[in-house]
Amino acid sequence: MKILIVGAGLFGAVCAHELAKLGHDITVIEKRDHIAGNIYTKDIEGIQVHEYGAHIFHTVNPKIWDYIQQFAAFNRYTNEVVANYNGELYNLPFNMNTLYQMWGVTTPEQAQAKIAEQRKVLAGKEPRNLEEQAISLVGTDIYTKLIKDYTTKQWGQTPKDLPSFIIRRLPVRFTFDNNYFNDPYQGIPIGGYTQIVEKMLDSPKITVQLNTNFFDAKETYLQNFDHVIFTGMIDQFFNYRFGELAYRSLRFETEIKDVANYQGNAVINYTDAKTPYTRIIEHKWFEFGQGNQKQTVITREYPQAWQRGVEPYYPINNSENNHLFTQYRDHAKKAAPNVTFGGRLGLYRYYNMDQVIAAALQFLDHSPLTGHQD
Ligand code: FAD
Ligand code: UDP
């Protein structure tokens, strides 16, 4: 079959790779001037720069870990984030180090007692939003210094109006363990992420066209291909007929600094309200400082409002938007039976990389394109 894949990000690349192996003719179109979507990394002076923010691969799923290893060797990087709140430094995620730094407590029992005391402001209610969920998990002091302002900057709205699942992405643990993730598999591909997508797309059955926007010739593409896998915005695909889904955008400001070591860690979060960015990443520490020994590359991440024409980095998965998404999804089944919507934007989900790969493989496993019927 002739298959068009819109978007050379991870979802599109996994589909292209697997479908090309089965002999389909694949055309991948990508509106940006490079492949790899948001996992794109670029070599600057031997340092792999994560052009769209810090990307750490982590998963609970050994099958996905095996799958990704086909395309790169991974180092043993473990994400250990530091938070800077008006010059006070705390370890993240919330663990015994953080709790000691915040309150001077030295045992899990003392820490749990302190949180239980502060949780009383909720008067035993079930948490209904991010603020209540955060206070219930870690108490009011940590909420105030490490969560409230960061979250407000990140999402452009009060944590009272945000879904609680967002804060449950972060572990809370009563051990002295600064690992940002609970997953048993974690690392950074040695030499960056772009090679992964390059290898996925490296087949005589795959043609890649950069600087090519699907919407410049939507009807022609739909006519000329037997099937389309679309990893852009589902609401845009249907010309926003039921209204816009909400997204959050970002602006990245990258600088080369004439120092060997700028901040001593890959990721430092700025959790106060005054600092306009949420985090600074110093890319060389993802690969233990290799590359340029005299300079370093840093990126500041500024959250910004989304509007049409701006990159939609995060779906805002509150119940209203999720409901609107199901309207689009149901409509898609009837109005576009030869189009599969996939990835963070096509499925409107706050997916990590491993979940995107799992979703792509799951789709392929149940698709007539691979000889399966669902
Ligand atoms: P994308 O990478 O967005 O790819 C979609 C592609 O489609 C893009 O290249 C886009 O340009 C193209 N496209 C869209 N519309 C069109 C069109 N009309 N025509 C042509 N092309 C089009 N995940 C982790 O596991 N660990 C992390 O540490 C992590 N950190 C992150 C940090 C940030 C700041 C962000 C934003 C995401 C992070 N993620 C992380 C998530 C990760 O980036 C995604 O899971 C993954 O990149 C999604 O892949 P995708 O193919 O769905 O989407
Ligand atoms: N968060 C926070 N303070 C921090 C880091 C994270 O309050 O220092 C909250 C914030 O709401 C954020 C969520 O936790 O959106 C999830 O954090 P994660 O690091 O997973 O966000 P991502 O890397 O996806 O932007």
Side-chain angles (χ1 to χ4, degrees), residues 14 17 32 95 118 160 172 204 215 229 238 308 335 351:
V14 170
H17 183 74
R32 297 181 187 172
N95 73 88
Q118 298 202 343
K160 287 193 179 82
V172 177
F215 293 109
I229 296 174
F238 292 110
R308 290 186 199 184
Y351 271 151

Side-chain angles (χ1 to χ4, degrees), residues 4-20:
L4 177 73
I5 299 185
V6 181
L10 196 52
F11 191 95
V14 170
C15 292
H17 183 74
E18 297 302 327
L19 291 168

Side-chain angles (χ1 to χ4, degrees), residues 24-85:
H24 294 296
D25 284 317
I26 313 290
T27 301
V28 179
I29 59 169
E30 169 55 58
K31 67 178 179 178
R32 297 181 187 172
D33 63 2
H34 60 76
I35 58 165
N38 290 339
I39 69 171
Y40 177 65
T41 49
K42 183 162 130 191
D43 188 312
I44 300 183
E45 306 269 343
I47 298 170
Q48 293 302 324
V49 173
H50 297 209
E51 289 273 305
Y52 300 95
H55 276 78
I56 299 105
F57 197 94
H58 56 98
T59 187
V60 289
N61 188 335
K63 287 199 187 114
I64 300 299
W65 186 237
D66 283 349
Y67 185 83
I68 197 76
Q69 312 282 323
Q70 296 175 72
F71 307 101
F74 278 67
N75 70 18
R76 55 150 198 87
Y77 177 83
T78 300
N79 202 29
E80 299 192 2
V81 176
V82 172
N84 183 324
Y85 176 74

Side-chain angles (χ1 to χ4, degrees), residues 6-12 29-32 34 36-39 52-58 169 181 212-215 230-233 236 250 252 279 301 311 313-314 342-345 351-354 356:
V6 181
L10 196 52
F11 191 95
I29 59 169
E30 169 55 58
K31 67 178 179 178
R32 297 181 187 172
H34 60 76
N38 290 339
I39 69 171
Y52 300 95
H55 276 78
I56 299 105
F57 197 94
H58 56 98
R169 285 172 60 85
F181 304 112
T212 306
N213 193 326
F214 174 76
F215 293 109
F230 182 83
T231 73
M233 294 156 60
Q236 186 181 16
L250 298 169
F252 300 100
R279 33 193 182 194
E301 197 172 307
E311 282 293 340
Y313 288 105
Y314 294 92
R344 241 193 196 202
L345 301 174
Y351 271 151
N352 289 323
M353 290 178 276
D354 62 321
V356 165

Side-chain angles (χ1 to χ4, degrees), residues 285-305:
W285 302 123
F286 290 120
E287 294 196 58
F288 309 112
Q290 82 177 29
N292 191 329
Q293 295 303 305
K294 296 208 175 85
Q295 292 174 308
T296 193
V297 184
I298 63 159
T299 300
R300 292 189 177 83
E301 197 172 307
Y302 295 82
Q304 54 172 31

Side-chain angles (χ1 to χ4, degrees), residues 20-155:
K21 282 202 292 195
L22 296 176
H24 294 296
D25 284 317
I26 313 290
T27 301
V28 179
I29 59 169
E30 169 55 58
K31 67 178 179 178
R32 297 181 187 172
D33 63 2
H34 60 76
I35 58 165
N38 290 339
I39 69 171
Y40 177 65
T41 49
K42 183 162 130 191
D43 188 312
I44 300 183
E45 306 269 343
I47 298 170
Q48 293 302 324
V49 173
H50 297 209
E51 289 273 305
Y52 300 95
H55 276 78
I56 299 105
F57 197 94
H58 56 98
T59 187
V60 289
N61 188 335
K63 287 199 187 114
I64 300 299
W65 186 237
D66 283 349
Y67 185 83
I68 197 76
Q69 312 282 323
Q70 296 175 72
F71 307 101
F74 278 67
N75 70 18
R76 55 150 198 87
Y77 177 83
T78 300
N79 202 29
E80 299 192 2
V81 176
V82 172
N84 183 324
Y85 176 74
N86 293 322
E88 295 170 23
L89 299 186
Y90 297 93
N91 290 110
L92 288 177
F94 315 113
N95 73 88
M96 281 305 295
N97 290 309
T98 330
L99 301 165
Y100 169 72
Q101 290 148 354
M102 189 66 66
W103 296 317
V105 291
T106 55
T107 66
E109 197 182 348
Q110 289 168 4
Q112 279 158 347
K114 192 88 188 166
I115 292 171
E117 183 60 35
Q118 298 202 343
R119 192 186 286 136
K120 283 185 185 154
V121 295
L122 297 176
K125 278 184 307 193
E126 272 301 302
R128 288 161 309 181
N129 56 48
L130 197 156
E131 175 172 293
E132 291 177 3
Q133 177 69 81
I135 292 172
S136 162
L137 288 168
V138 290
T140 47
D141 288 345
I142 291 184
Y143 173 67
T144 305
K145 289 189 170 185
L146 301 183
I147 298 174
K148 186 168 186 266
D149 297 335
Y150 182 100
T151 297
T152 306
K153 287 194 287 189
Q154 170 71 10
W155 296 100

